[in-house]
Amino acid sequence: MYEDYYRFRRQPFSPTPDPEFLYKSAIHQKALEELLRGVRRREGMLLLTGDVGTGKTTTTRALLGLLGRDVFTALVIDPFVTADELLRVLLQDFGVVSDSRLMKDVDRQMLVDTLNRFLLSLSSVGASALAVVDEAQNLKPAVLEQLRVLTTLETDQQKLLQILLVGQPELRTMLETPEMRPLNQRIGRRCALSPLNRDEVESYVAFRIGMARGDRETMFSAGALDLVYKFSGGVPRQINKICDRS
């Protein structure tokens, strides 16, 4: 629509979670550094929470882009899986099997044993594995319990599998219930994202335009940015919608 007119090489306010367009506000930069440190220290379970549209998925994608080739990753994007389906998704994403349907009739213990053998093979060559579970606030208790069990897979020196839970604030509330206490105690690092303030909104808009066009001209007046901040509440996804329509 307007990309040619304004000489944009790319859409400046695309809703897709492109890690190149991650604006590293103070809170986003801190979360990224904390998560990266947790992965490098091979801490068993990590937690990233934030309200809808605050940049959790984009931050996660940026984290994956910073990992070395010695870190194998799996991404669970369907939070409504069963415990067995979760294991099959992990085996497929890690490349253990080409198609998770091939293990449809395999029982849970065999699935865990297969995953454990793969993780041990990584450990023997100095590699590690990270599973990212998105929209984790929707996981069923039985699936969360299976994730807790997976964090017990370890050698005498280190955890074999790291798990990053990504979800909305209600995930924190859920983890604080008595039933989730065993899992909650295993979380080694917790990060939370929050909306941008007024100055950060201005920098965010300039950053996105700069990435799309190659210069830092905001194209929005101070008054317009005041309105963007007011109606978006500082939430990046809402900022993108408003600026795109503008």
Side-chain angles (χ1 to χ4, degrees):
M1 294 172 64
Y2 57 76
E3 287 81 9
D4 290 341
Y5 181 83
Y6 287 109
R7 305 189 307 279
F8 287 127
R9 297 190 295 267
R10 304 165 65 181
Q11 267 189 283
F13 301 106
S14 171
T16 57
D18 186 343
E20 290 188 25
F21 276 80
L22 174 64
Y23 170 69
K24 296 177 183 176
S25 71
I27 194 70
H28 287 78
Q29 180 66 33
K30 180 180 179 182
L32 192 57
E33 291 175 354
E34 284 289 312
L35 293 174
L36 185 59
R37 189 174 297 114
V39 173
R40 288 175 174 170
R41 290 171 59 88
R42 297 199 180 187
E43 297 173 359
M45 185 165 282
L46 311 170
L47 177 67
L48 174 64
T49 56
D51 215 338
V52 176
T54 51
K56 300 183 298 296
T57 301
T58 310
T59 301
T60 302
R61 300 294 193 276
L63 170 69
L64 296 179
L66 294 173
L67 301 179
R69 297 178 65 182
D70 60 339
V71 181
F72 287 66
T73 59
L75 180 60
V76 181
I77 58 176
D78 179 8
F80 299 104
V81 293
T82 65
D84 288 356
E85 288 169 344
L86 168 73
L87 292 168
R88 287 194 284 267
V89 168
L90 293 179
L91 288 170
Q92 179 171 316
D93 268 25
F94 281 135
V96 181
V97 296
S98 59
D99 190 336
S100 62
R101 290 173 296 183
L102 297 175
M103 306 195 77
K104 183 177 180 180
D105 297 324
V106 178
D107 64 43
R108 184 177 305 178
Q109 187 57 53
M110 181 62 72
L111 292 170
V112 173
D113 289 345
T114 303
L115 179 60
N116 189 48
R117 286 195 298 271
F118 167 72
L119 296 174
L120 285 170
S121 72
L122 292 184
S123 179
S124 67
V125 295
S128 62
L130 169 68
V132 179
V133 184
D134 208 354
E135 299 294 342
Q137 75 278 353
N138 293 316
L139 292 174
K140 297 176 182 177
V143 179
L144 286 168
E145 173 60 17
Q146 183 61 68
L147 288 171
R148 184 196 68 80
V149 171
L150 292 179
T151 65
T152 65
L153 301 178
E154 57 192 3
T155 66
D156 292 339
Q157 292 79 33
Q158 61 192 13
K159 297 288 185 182
L160 291 176
L161 176 64
Q162 294 180 269
I163 298 171
L164 170 58
L165 296 177
V166 183
Q168 296 172 24
E170 49 264 40
L171 175 59
R172 294 199 306 268
T173 303
M174 182 171 61
L175 291 172
E176 290 168 1
T177 61
E179 295 78 13
M180 292 292 106
R181 185 179 177 186
L183 175 63
N184 197 34
Q185 289 181 345
R186 290 185 173 274
I187 298 175
R189 204 168 291 257
R190 303 164 192 263
C191 303
L193 301 180
S194 58
L196 308 177
N197 61 36
R198 167 59 179 78
D199 289 341
E200 288 173 334
V201 168
E202 182 168 350
S203 297
Y204 175 89
V205 172
F207 169 77
R208 302 277 303 206
I209 290 175
M211 288 293 294
R213 196 164 86 165
D215 61 57
R216 298 281 289 183
E217 180 187 354
T218 65
M219 303 171 62
F220 288 82
S221 67
L225 289 168
D226 287 339
L227 291 173
V228 171
Y229 174 63
K230 175 182 177 181
F231 289 107
S232 69
V235 176
R237 183 178 298 167
Q238 295 300 104
I239 297 171
N240 289 345
K241 288 182 181 179
I242 294 171
C243 290
D244 181 73
R245 301 302 187 273
S246 300

